[in-house]
């Protein structure tokens, strides 16, 4: 077994080609995709925001995708049409023709022909520990640092972050909303230093945004489930309403793959919760951990459909036949992969996982914290990166790439039939200045307004 003292976070990220987030290496077009500076004095959602909290209203001149344009069998464009949306009690009640007037007493707002996209979902983020919302602070140099060094750094840093962690989490929620995201899954430290304080502060932040943001919480033993002896704290967190049991590198941090994973799964089984584990290991122990987790779910049907493996870098090391077998087993147990769409010489096989029926989702991970300064909190940027990495530069593939950012929701199906939005859908969407999904993925336009359950939570629309 490789010694934990020789396995740094930089090391295992380096094995996948010095992974980083895309906004550090991509020249972003359109000028609207960069994260706000960490020194921002107020939430992004306050800038230029217009309150729209009507339970029943019409939204006119909304641009919706209507179908693909073809040259033979090749998709070469996307047709759009203008509509008026009727929104009532958080749902899309109806899609009306563009010039439909509302009944007397029902207000109408104007989208000015902007394109409507599904709301984004950030399914791997750490809202509880960020420098965002405060003065600029770059991470300490990580060269030569082991994962235990990083844990020691956190033990010193967390007490300094805790007094403002609730406020910073709310600043980060506002940033997410400004990028079109209204749904998230946040990992939250459960460790001997902060105890349950980080969780308490995060829950307060989320309670303040109960009406405009939805977020699942993962109890994350950042300092090792076994290494930091937090089994009891993890169980307390479950009783406080946490949705998922987390874990971290069972061999390189906890020193015992099977014992660590079994302890994590036992908490989930005892409490009826799901699992979402950070698995960065790319050595054979990482593959063994994936196989052990699949074996465990196969033996415990209660876990089927409730397990997410975040990062899962070990999948990059599998030969095609082994990958196909592993993907088939993951799909059969409805296990999910959460990937940040990392850049590296060992690319994650995300398209092959999706083709095998594995649900793949993405997330920000770090946003300006002691791990990385590069997070943009922009899920559309993740779709852009996905399209670049997996050679999706044509109209059809650009439009398909957006699925990783929206939980699989796309306006058009593969044959060009409109499947979203439709009457009865949640009124969760964002408006952008683009002609179609493909252009939005390629050009990353600014989001002008974001809606959650029919309520505008960021930006502005016109008065009709």
């Amino acid at each position: 077994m490789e010694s934990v003292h020789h396995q740094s976070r930089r090391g295992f990220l380096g094995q996948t080609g010095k992974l980083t987030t895309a906004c550090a290496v991509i020249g972003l077009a359109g000028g609207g995709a960069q994260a706000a500076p960490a020194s921002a004095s107020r939430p992004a959602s306050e800038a230029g925001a217009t309150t729209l909290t009507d339970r029943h209203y019409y939204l006119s001149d909304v641009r919706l995708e209507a179908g693909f344009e073809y040259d033979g069998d090749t998709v070469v464009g996307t047709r759009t049409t203008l509509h008026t949306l009727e929104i009532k009690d958080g749902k899309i009640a109806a899609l009306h023709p563009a010039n439909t007037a509302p009944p007397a007493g029902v207000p109408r707002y104007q989208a000015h022909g902007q394109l409507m996209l599904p709301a984004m979902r950030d399914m791997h983020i750490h809202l509880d520990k960020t420098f965002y919302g405060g003065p600029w602070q770059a991470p300490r140099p990580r060269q030569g640092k082991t994962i235990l060094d990083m844990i020691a750094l956190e033990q010193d840093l967390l007490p300094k972050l805790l007094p403002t962690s609730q406020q910073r989490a709310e600043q980060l929620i506002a940033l997410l909303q400004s990028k079109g995201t209204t749904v998230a899954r946040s990992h939250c430290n459960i460790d001997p230093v902060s105890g349950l304080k980080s969780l308490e502060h995060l829950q307060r932040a989320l309670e303040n945004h109960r009406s405009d943001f939805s977020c699942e919480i993962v109890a994350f033993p950042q300092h090792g489930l076994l290494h930091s002896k937090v089994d009891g704290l993890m169980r307390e967190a479950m009783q406080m309403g946490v949705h998922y049991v987390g874990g971290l590198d069972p061999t390189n941090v906890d020193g015992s793959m099977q014992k660590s994973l079994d302890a994590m799964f036992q908490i989930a089984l005892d409490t009826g919760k799901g699992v979402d584990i950070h698995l960065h290991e790319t050595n054979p122990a990482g593959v063994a951990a994936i196989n052990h987790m699949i074996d465990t779910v196969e033996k415990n049907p209660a876990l089927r459909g409730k397990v997410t493996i975040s990062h899962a870098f070990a999948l990059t090391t599998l030969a095609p036949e082994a990958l196909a077998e592993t993907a088939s087993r993951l799909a059969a147990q409805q296990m999910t992969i959460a990937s940040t769409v990392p850049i590296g010489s060992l690319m994650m096989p995300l398209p092959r996982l999706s083709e095998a029926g594995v649900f793949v989702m993405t997330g920000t991970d770090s946003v300006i914290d002691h791990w990385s300064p590069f997070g943009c909190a922009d899920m559309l940027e993740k779709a852009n990166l996905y399209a670049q990495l997996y050679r999706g530069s044509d109209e059809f593939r650009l439009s398909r790439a957006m699925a990783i950012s929206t939980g699989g929701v796309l306006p058009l199906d593969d044959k060009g039939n409109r499947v979203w939005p439709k009457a009865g859908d949640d009124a969760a969407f964002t408006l952008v200045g683009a002609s179609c999904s493909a252009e939005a993925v390629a050009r990353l336009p600014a989001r002008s307004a974001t809606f959650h359950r029919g309520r505008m939570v960021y930006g502005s629309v016109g008065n009709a």
Side-chain angles (χ1 to χ4, degrees), residues 48 78 91 97 118 120 181 218 221 234 268 303 383 393 400 421 429 440 460:
T78 303
K91 301 284 186 180
M120 306 290 149
T181 294
V218 183
M234 292 283 286
L303 293 169
S393 59
R400 303 300 89 183
F429 56 91
S460 63

Side-chain angles (χ1 to χ4, degrees), residues 207-395:
E207 178 62 24
N208 288 343
H209 289 272
R210 179 173 55 177
S211 63
D212 58 50
F213 190 76
S214 298
C215 185
E216 301 170 328
I217 300 177
V218 183
F220 178 40
Q222 172 73 80
H223 304 170
L225 177 59
L226 304 183
H227 179 73
S228 60
K229 299 180 176 63
V230 290
D231 188 285
L233 282 174
M234 292 283 286
R235 291 177 181 274
E236 286 187 57
M238 297 301 110
Q239 298 304 314
M240 292 172 62
V242 168
H243 306 85
Y244 290 86
V245 183
L248 173 69
D249 296 342
T251 298
N252 291 329
V253 174
D254 274 345
S256 175
M257 183 269 288
Q258 183 169 341
K259 185 177 180 181
S260 177
L261 293 179
D262 288 351
M264 177 187 69
F265 278 119
Q266 194 60 56
I267 298 172
L269 288 168
D270 290 345
T271 59
K273 306 289 186 175
V275 166
D276 190 336
I277 180 176
H278 284 62
L279 186 67
H280 307 95
E281 298 163 345
T282 56
N283 52 28
V287 176
I290 291 173
N291 288 330
H292 185 74
M293 285 189 277
I294 299 173
D295 291 342
T296 301
V297 178
E298 288 174 344
K299 295 172 185 175
N300 295 275
L303 293 169
R304 191 168 186 260
K306 296 170 65 175
V307 175
T308 298
I309 306 176
S310 290
H311 305 304
F313 295 147
L315 294 174
T316 67
T317 68
L318 296 179
E321 298 81 6
L323 175 61
E325 180 183 357
T326 300
S328 177
R329 295 183 68 204
L330 288 167
Q333 300 308 317
Q334 299 177 14
M335 297 172 69
T336 298
I337 298 296
S339 175
T340 58
V341 195
I343 304 166
S345 56
L346 295 176
M347 286 176 57
M348 284 293 294
L350 301 183
R352 281 171 284 173
L353 291 170
S354 296
E355 290 164 5
V358 179
F359 185 66
V360 177
M361 57 192 188
T362 191
T364 295
D365 202 358
S366 298
V367 178
I368 312 178
D369 62 14
H370 57 292
W371 293 104
S372 170
F374 299 121
C376 297
D378 189 349
M379 294 302 96
L380 197 56
E381 176 260 340
K382 294 295 182 180
N384 174 288
L385 178 57
Y386 184 98
Q388 292 195 57
L389 287 177
Y390 302 109
R391 303 179 185 275
S393 59
D394 59 276
E395 183 86 3

Side-chain angles (χ1 to χ4, degrees), residues 129-140:
K129 50 182 184 181
T130 177
F131 298 155
Y132 185 78
W136 163 252
Q137 184 176 348
R140 300 281 185 87

Side-chain angles (χ1 to χ4, degrees), residues 94 162 417 435:
L162 273 173
N417 301 306
S435 64

